[in-house]
């Protein structure tokens, strides 16, 4: 139960779609950072990876409403004041353990999703003013396309800072005895009982829907 003390037993918390989303996102983000601004061939792959990222993010947003209990936004989104209180309690070593995301971690998830979504969408309009244009670049005035290109270059630095903070937070929790990385691999976390299982068919349907939306935007828009 949320806020309950950690126990030695481990119950199922994270469903397979959530875990696959997390690790696929890590891989895609690393590749997009590496390939951005590279050769023409690398940029072709960069754009394909960007489409995959956008589909992945759309899936996670849908899964945040129709996924398993701890993957839903309503499970971990709290008032900002609760996140601040949790952060202060954690700094003092008095923060309670949570089965799912803690209040501060929940807000980090939302901020990352918003900034990643903004990064993917801005990339659709970005241009290098030479030979590489996003598939929707021709739909925007040059001034707007330029602004979105600038944002695309700036936002990646902000995302890298947030990624670093995320890694630091995970390390800090590990020092306190909470193995967040292991939980995101196995799906199990300290505490009694298993969360309600996720529907594989629902996850597949939402993934196909997200991919179809991106395909339509890129194909029809381009």
């Amino acid at each position: 139960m949320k806020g309950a003390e950690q126990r030695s037993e481990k119950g199922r918390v994270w469903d397979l779609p959530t875990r696959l989303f997390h690790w696929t996102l890590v891989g895609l983000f690393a590749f997009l950072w590496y390939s951005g601004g590279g050769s023409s061939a690398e940029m072709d792959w960069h754009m394909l990876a960007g489409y995959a990222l956008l589909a992945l993010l759309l899936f996670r947003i849908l899964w945040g409403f129709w996924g398993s209990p701890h993957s839903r936004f309503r499970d971990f989104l709290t008032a900002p004041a609760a996140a601040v209180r949790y952060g202060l309690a954690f700094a003092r070593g008095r923060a309670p353990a949570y089965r799912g995301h803690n209040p501060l971690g929940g807000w980090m998830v939302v901020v990352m999703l918003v900034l990643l979504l903004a990064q993917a969408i801005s990339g659709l309009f970005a241009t290098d003013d030479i030979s590489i244009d996003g598939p929707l670049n021709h739909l925007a005035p040059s001034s707007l396309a330029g602004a979105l290109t600038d944002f695309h270059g700036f936002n990646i630095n902000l995302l890298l800072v947030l990624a670093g903070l995320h890694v630091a937070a995970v390390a800090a929790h590990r020092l306190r005895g909470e193995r967040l990385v292991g939980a995101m691999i196995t799906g199990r976390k300290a505490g009694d009982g298993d969360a309600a299982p996720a529907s594989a068919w629902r996850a597949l349907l939402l993934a196909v829907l997200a991919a179809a939306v991106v395909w339509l935007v890129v194909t029809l828009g381009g």
Side-chain angles (χ1 to χ4, degrees):
M1 183 178 296
K2 185 189 288 188
E5 291 184 1
Q6 251 182 316
R7 299 174 176 86
S8 59
E9 299 87 353
K10 288 187 177 182
R12 181 75 65 184
V13 175
W14 302 121
D15 57 65
L16 181 59
T18 298
R19 286 178 281 145
L20 287 176
F21 162 82
H22 181 274
W23 296 114
T24 304
L25 177 63
V26 171
L28 278 175
F29 181 77
F31 177 77
L32 285 162
W33 171 77
Y34 167 80
S35 60
S39 66
S40 178
E42 287 177 337
M43 286 304 298
D44 288 340
W45 283 105
H46 181 85
M47 292 174 70
L48 289 174
Y51 304 154
L53 175 66
L54 183 55
L56 191 68
L57 294 171
L58 292 179
F59 165 77
R60 184 60 184 92
I61 292 170
L62 294 171
W63 199 240
F65 293 99
W66 292 290
S68 61
H70 291 300
S71 298
R72 298 187 182 189
F73 296 124
R74 69 184 183 189
D75 179 77
F76 58 81
L77 268 187
T78 63
V84 173
R85 287 195 298 270
Y86 176 86
L88 293 174
F90 185 84
R92 294 193 296 265
R94 300 175 182 175
Y98 283 75
R99 289 302 310 280
H101 291 298
N102 62 62
L104 194 57
W107 276 104
M108 174 64 80
V109 169
V110 172
V111 171
M112 288 290 287
L113 285 176
V114 169
L115 290 181
L116 284 166
L117 190 62
Q119 185 73 0
I121 292 174
S122 64
L124 297 176
F125 296 89
T127 178
D128 66 353
D129 290 323
I130 302 174
S131 60
I132 300 173
D133 296 330
L136 305 186
N137 173 264
H138 65 284
L139 299 178
S142 59
S143 58
L144 177 58
L148 290 173
T149 301
D150 291 341
F151 172 82
H152 195 72
F154 165 79
N155 193 49
I156 185 62
N157 295 314
L158 183 56
L159 284 166
L160 287 170
V161 171
L162 290 177
L165 289 175
H166 176 65
V167 171
V170 170
H173 278 275
R174 181 64 184 88
L175 291 174
R176 301 284 177 87
E178 192 173 1
R179 301 181 178 182
L180 301 183
V181 173
M184 194 53 72
I185 293 174
T186 66
R188 295 189 173 277
K189 198 174 180 183
D192 293 335
D194 289 341
S199 168
W201 285 109
R202 184 186 302 162
L204 180 60
L205 177 62
L206 295 178
V208 170
L209 176 60
V213 169
V214 174
W215 181 83
L216 285 171
V217 169
V218 172
T219 302
L220 298 182

